[in-house]
Amino acid sequence: MPKTSDAPAQKGLPGRKAQAARNDSLILEAARAVFLADANAPISAVAERAGVGISALYRRYPSKEVLLRTLCHDGLRRYNAEADAALAEEDGWQALVGFLERVVDVDVHSLTVHLAGTFTPDESMLPDVMHSGEATEELVRRAHATGRLRPEVNSQDLGLVLEACAAIAMPDATRTAQLRRRTLALLVAGLAADGDLPGPPPQTGEFAWRWERRDS
C-alpha cells in the first residue's frame, strides 16, 4: 500500500482541493527524482515515491507523456523566474553570474539533459520557450555592455555552461552541489577571460533536434 504523506494541506483551500494540490506537489517532486535517475522508469514508480495511489496520479496526469511535459514546463518556468529576477538587477555582469548560480542551484538543466527527446513538447510551452530565449539574450546583452563578458559569447553558450554543471552528479547531494558550484566558478572565469575561443559559437536552434521524440 502506498504511504500517505504527512505534508500539511495548502492553506486557504477546501479539503479536497487542498489534498489535490498537495498530491500534485508530491507527484511533481517525486517525478523529478524518479525520471532524473531513470528517464525510462514506469509511472508507477512515481506514484510509489510520492506516496499516492496510482489512480490519484492518473487523474492528474493521464499518461507519462503528460507528466514529463509538465515536469519540463515547470522547470522552464523556474528558469524564466530566475532570468526575470536577474533582469531587475542593475549590474549586468553580476546579474548574469547570479542568474547562472541560481539556475545551477535549483538544477533546472538536469531536466534538459535527461528528459529531452522523451516526450513531445506542445504549443502550451511555446510562450515560455520564447520568453526564456528573449530573457537570456537580454542578460547576455547587458553583460556585454559592462565589458566583462568576452564579446564572442552568446546566449547559446550559457546553455552549454549550465548543461556542463548539470552533468555533474555524485551519490551525495551536498557534494554534487559543491562540485557544480566549483565548476561554474571555473566556467564563469572563462566567460570573462581574454583571447579567442576555438570554433564558431553555437547557433540558435542548433540543439532543437534533441527535443524530437525518441522511442525507447
Side-chain angles (χ1 to χ4, degrees):
M1 294 290 290
K3 298 181 296 181
T4 300
S5 169
D6 294 327
Q10 292 190 17
K11 295 181 180 180
L13 294 175
R16 288 187 177 180
K17 289 186 177 180
Q19 181 64 44
R22 180 174 63 181
N23 284 350
D24 193 47
S25 177
L26 290 171
I27 289 167
L28 288 178
E29 181 180 348
R32 192 176 195 282
V34 167
F35 293 136
L36 284 181
D38 180 9
N40 295 317
I43 200 169
S44 59
V46 176
E48 181 179 359
R49 186 179 181 95
V52 302
I54 192 69
S55 59
L57 190 154
Y58 274 119
R59 279 196 298 271
R60 181 66 182 88
Y61 302 101
S63 68
K64 182 178 177 180
E65 171 97 354
V66 173
L67 180 54
L68 288 171
R69 186 183 301 121
T70 302
L71 190 62
C72 277
H73 200 169
D74 181 65
L76 178 60
R77 292 191 184 103
R78 292 189 187 190
Y79 178 96
N80 286 348
E82 296 298 348
D84 290 343
L87 288 172
E89 300 180 29
E90 292 185 4
D91 186 302
W93 172 252
Q94 292 302 325
L96 179 65
V97 173
F99 164 72
L100 293 172
E101 290 173 347
R102 292 191 299 272
V103 171
V104 166
D105 287 345
V106 298
D107 196 19
V108 169
H109 270 66
S110 285
L111 295 172
T112 300
V113 172
H114 288 83
L115 301 185
T118 62
F119 69 96
T120 303
D122 64 11
E123 291 185 359
S124 69
M125 300 178 69
L126 185 58
D128 286 313
V129 170
M130 297 294 292
H131 183 74
S132 68
E134 292 167 358
T136 307
E137 289 280 0
E138 181 62 12
L139 283 171
V140 169
R141 185 194 69 78
R142 293 185 184 187
H144 277 143
T146 68
R148 297 192 63 181
L149 179 63
R150 59 197 309 165
E152 65 268 44
V153 170
N154 65 20
S155 59
Q156 283 71 44
D157 283 310
L158 297 191
L160 296 179
V161 167
L162 291 169
E163 288 190 32
C165 293
I168 299 169
M170 303 291 287
D172 179 71
T174 299
R175 188 59 177 145
T176 295
Q178 291 173 341
L179 291 176
R180 285 177 176 176
R181 270 300 196 102
R182 180 181 176 87
T183 299
L184 178 61
L186 292 170
L187 294 172
V188 165
L191 293 177
D194 294 326
D196 295 331
L197 291 171
Q203 300 300 309
T204 301
E206 188 170 356
F207 298 100
W209 59 269
R210 63 186 172 189
W211 290 101
E212 296 175 3
R213 180 63 182 269
R214 299 190 304 269
D215 292 327
S216 58

